[in-house]
Amino acid sequence: MTVKADDLRLLLASSLSQPTLVLEEGSLKILSGDEVAKRSSWVVVTLEDLRRELPDGDNPTEHDLVEKAAMLDELVSSPGA
């Protein structure tokens, strides 16, 4: 499982309420905030946090998405995650 820029694009385009990228059963999924609260999924990043952490959260560049995806992938792949 690898976090990719496409995963972040899907999160940015989501129309769910409080969309969140999660790791669940070895797969990345986008769930609403309500679903995350009901399930025991590992939160990778929320839409709100992603927008805040990107240089331009409303109009991110490909470079920014690739860099952020690599950072999140490293976090998810690290021992103890």
Side-chain angles (χ1 to χ4, degrees):
M1 187 281 321
T2 302
V3 179
K4 298 179 182 169
D6 286 341
D7 299 313
L8 302 184
R9 274 190 217 90
L10 289 172
L11 180 60
L12 288 165
S14 177
S15 61
L16 295 173
S17 172
Q18 300 172 326
T20 304
L21 182 65
V22 300
L23 178 60
E24 185 176 82
E25 299 175 1
S27 298
L28 290 168
K29 300 178 182 178
I30 297 174
L31 302 175
S32 70
D34 291 339
E35 278 298 307
V36 172
K38 292 177 190 174
R39 297 158 100 158
S40 59
S41 303
W42 195 84
V43 173
V44 177
V45 68
T46 65
L47 175 62
E48 182 180 328
D49 288 342
L50 178 61
R51 283 194 171 139
R52 186 176 50 247
E53 293 167 5
L54 290 170
D56 183 354
D58 293 325
N59 191 23
T61 66
E62 178 67 15
H63 175 76
D64 291 339
L65 291 175
V66 168
E67 272 195 352
K68 186 61 182 174
M71 286 186 236
L72 291 170
D73 186 60
E74 187 174 320
L75 177 69
V76 169
S77 300
S78 68

